[in-house]
Amino acid sequence: MLSKVAVVLSERMAMFEFGVVCEVFGLDRTADGLPGFDFRVCGAEPGTPLRSTSPGITVTPEYGLAGLTGADLVAIPAAATTMGAALDPRIVEAVRDAAAAGATVLTVCSGAFLAGAAGLLDGRKCTTHWRYVDKLAADYPEATVDPDVLFVDEGDLITSAGTAAGIDACLHLVRRELGSGVANAIARRMVVSPQRDGGQRQFIERPVAACTSDSLIPTLEWMNEHLDLPHTIEELATRSTMSTRTFARRFAAETGTTPVKWLTNQRVLLTKHLLEETDLGLEQIAARSGFGSGALLRHHFQRLVGIAPTEYRRRFGANPDAGHEP
């Protein structure tokens, strides 16, 4: 379960990345029926203000590094001092000890360097902001650094790229641990998409699509509302009043992936929700999600999620025996 969350701050932390962690885990949404988190902001010296990278803004951690003890999640936002010799050895040791005690560690942007200093990247796949991937790979040669993806989930280690990719990683962790219903509800409150997959590339020309008359947003919304229907590039291009070539280029620029991959990811996300929240059998879910058949659903689900749909339902469904196949 994901209950106790400790965010550890270093000198000259990045306010946006820190704010992402606070927004997902630090706000009390229990009045909306969502689970609450024991959220702690920790630093090497509690009560001592830490400078941010934003001029004139400091943050004063309430807790010392003992606040990491017993944490289910240790979140490490970006900080200018996480990328070099200025790393505080007390913080490095505290992160290492928390991970050894069973905490999941999640890094945002250059926070990956602190995880590396704690020895958590060796032999693992990871990522960071595209500007820093070469340095991360050079500093920690035992790590496998993926320069393109939004985030990497290695189980007890999640590393994410810059800025908005931290939102994706945090919501992914919430979905993984608490279910798609909770993740979607938090995303709605944040007014962000809960659906970007970690394998999407970092380099997209327009990370947030502008809501203009020729934007793809109406088409994306229509696709998401009609996942059960077959879709062709030609039909979607016509709906967007574009040529097929322009549509394919704009789609990649605005979403970071292809229409086919986007649809498949959306259908898998809907499948997860239906497995968690309903008693529908796999053939019924396949029809609703647009996969058409249970066999095709199993193929894509296993490929993207890593486990079979029935195993996913057993782990995360409200009724693990629902839709059981003989």
Side-chain angles (χ1 to χ4, degrees):
M1 291 298 295
L2 183 60
S3 177
K4 182 177 179 181
V5 178
V7 53
V8 58
L9 298 184
S10 300
E11 186 75 12
R12 296 188 64 206
M13 90 291 295
M15 290 302 299
F16 182 93
E17 285 78 357
F18 173 51
V20 164
V21 178
C22 293
E23 181 73 21
V24 175
F25 300 106
L27 296 186
D28 183 357
R29 297 184 174 96
T30 53
D32 296 333
L34 298 176
F37 301 103
D38 176 3
F39 185 76
R40 301 183 177 189
V41 179
C42 307
E45 298 178 4
T48 300
L50 294 170
R51 291 176 298 161
S52 74
T53 54
S54 301
I57 299 178
T58 62
V59 176
T60 303
E62 181 180 358
Y63 294 88
L65 297 175
L68 276 64
T69 303
D72 303 306
L73 171 66
V74 172
I76 307 174
T81 51
T82 57
M83 293 181 57
L87 284 168
D88 190 321
R90 296 171 295 175
I91 295 178
V92 174
E93 182 179 5
V95 170
R96 182 187 298 120
D97 290 346
T104 295
V105 173
L106 183 148
T107 71
V108 183
C109 193
S110 65
F113 287 84
L114 177 51
L120 306 183
L121 302 185
D122 292 350
R124 317 288 291 277
K125 294 181 180 179
C126 61
T127 195
T128 188
H129 192 287
W130 58 266
R131 293 182 63 184
Y132 310 136
V133 290
D134 290 342
K135 178 173 174 54
L136 187 67
D139 288 357
Y140 304 103
E142 297 301 315
T144 301
V145 182
D146 190 330
D148 296 321
V149 296
L150 295 179
F151 62 85
V152 176
D153 183 350
E154 282 277 284
D156 58 0
L157 174 69
I158 298 177
T159 53
S160 65
T163 55
I167 300 176
D168 300 311
C170 288
L171 291 175
H172 166 78
L173 178 61
V174 171
R175 182 181 297 109
R176 191 187 81 180
E177 298 298 321
L178 300 175
S180 59
V182 175
N184 291 346
I186 293 175
R188 282 195 297 271
R189 283 287 300 272
M190 294 174 65
V191 197
V192 298
S193 169
Q195 303 159 337
R196 291 210 300 175
D197 176 70
Q200 291 182 210
R201 59 190 174 95
Q202 289 188 41
F203 267 125
I204 55 177
E205 296 171 22
R206 301 172 63 191
V208 179
C211 189
T212 60
S213 60
D214 62 348
S215 170
L216 290 179
I217 288 178
T219 300
L220 292 174
E221 292 177 345
W222 184 85
M223 292 165 68
N224 206 36
E225 292 169 1
H226 298 85
L227 293 175
D228 58 320
L229 299 179
H231 299 286
T232 66
I233 300 297
E234 291 76 15
E235 171 246 329
L236 295 172
T238 299
R239 177 173 290 277
S240 304
T241 62
M242 301 178 190
S243 68
T244 55
R245 184 174 180 178
T246 299
F247 174 79
R249 184 177 68 250
R250 286 286 305 277
F251 198 98
E254 294 200 12
T255 70
T257 189
T258 67
V260 171
K261 290 182 178 179
W262 190 92
L263 274 169
T264 301
N265 284 329
Q266 301 304 98
R267 285 166 171 161
V268 166
L269 286 167
L270 176 58
T271 297
K272 284 183 174 181
H273 173 73
L274 294 174
L275 289 170
E276 293 173 15
E277 305 294 337
T278 75
D279 294 340
L280 295 173
L282 289 188
E283 293 297 334
Q284 293 172 295
I285 292 176
R288 287 200 183 188
S289 61
F291 283 119
S293 70
L296 197 57
L297 182 154
R298 293 184 195 91
H299 168 75
H300 288 295
F301 197 93
Q302 179 79 44
R303 180 174 60 86
L304 292 177
V305 181
I307 59 175
T310 49
E311 175 62 15
Y312 184 88
R313 171 171 268 165
R314 188 188 68 80
R315 294 186 189 181
F316 302 110
N319 179 9
D321 295 323
H324 179 70
E325 294 180 294

